[in-house]
Amino acid sequence: MTPASAAPRRVAIHVCGSVAAYKACAVITALRKQGCEVRVAMTRSARHFVTETTLQSLSGHPVARTIWQGGDAGHGMGHIDIGAWAQTHAVVAASANLMARLAHGFADDAVTAALLATRARLIVAPAMESAMWEHPATQANVATLRSRGVSFVGPVRGRLASGAEGDGRMAEVDDVVAAVLSSLGDAAPT
Ligand SMILES: Cc1cc2nc3c(=O)[nH]c(=O)nc-3n(C[C@H](O)[C@H](O)[C@H](O)COP(=O)(O)O)c2cc1C
């Protein structure tokens, strides 16, 4: 736990259009219990899977949904706020599409703009069907991101959203939380 006198660690959680997006809620709650301040950005597709209201309630902050929001740093440049603010970023759950956009340096929504406008650590927790995960395009994008220092947690083998067994299931929430805390220099939660 963070000592009461220490400044809270600043973590940004980025949510994508994956069935596992709802697991971001548990990650946010666990990180806040560990004394982290959490801000959230979501893609347009993520809104089909989890609501902004839920993410706002759990994080205690407005959710970044678009680069056209003003932001709250007072400079009118909302698209770079979260990128500059966070000590660690985590994409939970990362879609194949989002990883492709990150690999190519896109910055056309709240998530990709924040992740391009940062020098902070980035942890990616992918979740998708096996065919998407194993596709050479996805694997090439993963390799590109790894070569830039991005850390991956999972995916693991197990039951997928479709009901099939295979690779592509999101890592356990505890493992994602442990990776974030570790990146901040903390021990894993007990
Ligand atoms: C019902 C449904 C479930 C989906 N589940 C996933 C998923 O688990 N992982 C994934 O990578 N894409 C999934 N997709 C596709 C993405 O939502 C789609 O590629 C979208 O453009 C991703 O946008 P984003 O990366 O901006 O969030 C799903 C689509 C639908 C309609």
Side-chain angles (χ1 to χ4, degrees):
M1 292 288 282
T2 310
S5 57
R9 286 78 41 87
R10 302 183 305 276
V11 179
I13 298 295
H14 301 268
V15 188
C16 305
S18 159
V19 176
Y22 73 94
K23 296 181 182 176
C25 300
V27 171
I28 293 163
T29 299
L31 288 171
R32 291 196 70 193
K33 282 183 182 170
Q34 291 294 320
C36 298
E37 186 174 356
V38 179
R39 292 184 183 242
V40 178
M42 68 195 305
T43 66
R44 180 183 290 271
S45 298
R47 286 145 70 181
H48 290 276
F49 297 90
V50 62
T51 72
E52 177 187 358
T53 306
T54 300
L55 296 171
Q56 174 178 306
S57 303
L58 294 176
S59 67
H61 291 286
V63 174
R65 288 178 291 104
T66 155
I67 56 172
W68 305 113
Q69 289 162 288
D72 54 15
H75 51 44
M77 301 273 281
H79 69 297
I80 58 172
D81 273 0
I82 287 186
W85 173 85
Q87 293 167 285
T88 289
H89 296 266
V91 187
V92 186
S95 65
N97 180 62
L98 192 278
M99 293 192 295
R101 294 195 290 137
L102 287 185
H104 291 278
F106 281 36
D108 59 352
D109 70 359
V111 169
T112 52
L115 293 178
L116 202 63
T118 188
R119 295 186 174 87
R121 292 166 289 259
L122 172 58
I123 294 166
V124 172
M128 63 203 68
E129 293 295 314
S130 299
M132 291 181 95
W133 172 249
E134 291 166 2
H135 196 285
T138 301
Q139 290 302 310
N141 292 329
V142 169
T144 296
L145 294 171
R146 278 193 207 279
S147 75
R148 292 184 194 147
V150 174
S151 301
F152 281 79
V153 186
V156 298
R157 190 170 182 81
R159 185 181 164 87
L160 306 171
S162 63
E165 282 285 316
D167 291 323
R169 179 180 170 84
M170 198 185 107
E172 293 301 319
V173 165
D174 286 352
D175 292 335
V176 176
V177 171
V180 171
L181 293 176
S182 168
S183 79
L184 293 163
D186 292 10
T190 53

